[in-house]
Amino acid sequence: MKLNITHRTEYHYDQPVAYALQQLRLTPKSSHGQKVLSWQTSVLGGHKEAEYQDQHDNHVELVSFDPGQETIVVACEGEVETADNAGVTGPHYGYAPLWFFRRPTPLTKPGPAIRKLARAADQTGDSAVAHLHALSAMIAEQVSYKVGTTHAETLAEEALNAGHGVCQDHAHIFLAAARLLGFPARYVSGYLLLDDTIEQDASHGWAEVHVDGLGWVGFDISNRISPDERYVRVASGLDYKDAAPISGMRFGDAGESMIVSLQVQQ
């Protein structure tokens, strides 16, 4: 399947910004199950300082704001050819060793609720993949998808106790529990072709677990499936912060508003 993606993020400030830097993780790579046919990013109101591959082999562009800007626009577009590999993305690569993906982060630190969830998943099925699918189903049942109830700093344990969240929360809970079960696990950010709309409000997030004999296997808890040809992988890391499409810092106390426009279509 060939997917066309257009992603535009506008930042508006109520006073000029003296200095700011942003890291863009918006460029997908050709890998097992996907081939990037074309891709480009552009910045209005700033310029690219450097490009590099981070410790997770994500392509990162470092962007600075031009002095005195009140509006910054980050845009990317391209075409990616995808295939359905039942969620399997192949062997491990990158600079971080597999054991690194067993460590918790502040966002994925397990508490009593996640430990209970992991114990329940460990008692289901007779294979690693069966345990993981059961874990995914349990999270989807216990944490309803509800926009606006959590934020980028919500902890996995908090979201599980609250019983609602979004794809980021589903993935973080899954990562925390999978690591308790002894699996290397990572967060993935990317794009998803939806069935009923082209326009979207944000990019998507899911989880991957390294299973012996298979390599990395994806689990989209929010949609209760393993990623197929409708998915485009862009970046990965220990949690959302490692794979966030745009992150950075700025000086000053200017108020900020953001408008996101995203289209994914075949």
Side-chain angles (χ1 to χ4, degrees):
M1 179 183 291
K2 291 183 179 179
L3 300 178
N4 289 290
I5 300 162
T6 303
H7 188 183
R8 177 184 175 95
T9 306
E10 299 182 21
Y11 294 92
H12 298 277
Y13 301 94
D14 58 11
Q15 57 182 288
V17 176
Y19 183 78
L21 283 174
Q22 289 183 324
Q23 294 180 82
L24 311 183
R25 288 177 173 84
L26 290 167
T27 304
K29 301 182 298 295
S30 294
S31 59
H32 188 68
Q34 71 180 36
K35 179 180 180 181
V36 180
L37 303 179
S38 65
W39 197 268
Q40 62 180 4
T41 60
S42 61
V43 180
L44 178 64
H47 61 278
K48 298 177 184 179
E49 298 282 0
E51 298 182 48
Y52 59 93
Q53 303 297 115
D54 69 10
Q55 72 272 27
H56 299 292
D57 203 32
N58 301 318
H59 183 79
V60 184
E61 295 171 293
L62 186 64
V63 171
S64 65
F65 287 13
D66 296 334
Q69 292 296 313
E70 295 183 21
T71 299
I72 299 292
V73 179
V74 177
C76 61
E77 60 180 336
E79 184 178 38
V80 181
E81 186 173 17
T82 61
D84 184 359
N85 291 318
V88 178
T89 59
H92 180 61
Y93 58 87
Y95 303 108
L98 276 174
W99 59 259
F100 183 71
F101 295 93
R102 292 190 176 95
R103 63 185 294 270
T105 67
L107 288 175
T108 61
K109 183 179 179 180
I114 291 178
R115 294 183 185 279
K116 180 179 179 181
L117 186 70
R119 288 195 297 270
D122 196 30
Q123 297 172 8
T124 62
D126 56 1
S127 69
V129 173
H131 293 327
L132 295 168
H133 279 296
L135 174 62
S136 178
M138 290 176 186
I139 296 170
E141 288 292 334
Q142 296 183 35
V143 183
S144 61
Y145 189 93
K146 191 174 182 181
V147 177
T149 58
T150 57
H151 50 80
E153 298 295 330
T154 298
L155 307 181
E157 184 77 5
E158 292 175 340
L160 180 56
N161 285 323
H164 46 66
V166 293
C167 59
Q168 173 183 308
D169 304 297
H170 284 154
H172 281 164
I173 297 167
F174 185 92
L175 295 177
R179 288 167 182 160
L180 282 176
L181 294 173
F183 294 99
R186 64 188 181 189
Y187 186 98
V188 180
S189 66
Y191 300 107
L192 168 61
L193 174 68
L194 298 177
D195 295 331
D196 54 353
T197 183
I198 293 175
E199 299 284 348
Q200 300 184 34
D201 296 325
S203 56
H204 194 44
W206 59 95
E208 286 184 349
V209 173
H210 193 274
V211 178
D212 289 343
L214 290 176
W216 289 103
V217 182
F219 296 85
D220 181 357
I221 297 86
S222 300
N223 291 299
R224 305 188 183 207
I225 62 172
S226 286
D228 53 27
E229 71 273 11
R230 297 172 298 163
Y231 290 72
V232 174
R233 301 175 74 262
V234 176
S236 63
L238 289 179
D239 58 23
Y240 170 77
K241 288 187 175 181
D242 280 348
I246 303 177
S247 61
M249 51 78 68
R250 59 185 169 87
F251 292 142
D253 55 1
E256 179 186 84
S257 61
M258 182 177 67
I259 301 172
V260 176
S261 172
L262 172 61
Q263 293 183 345
V264 182
Q265 54 191 313
Q266 187 175 358

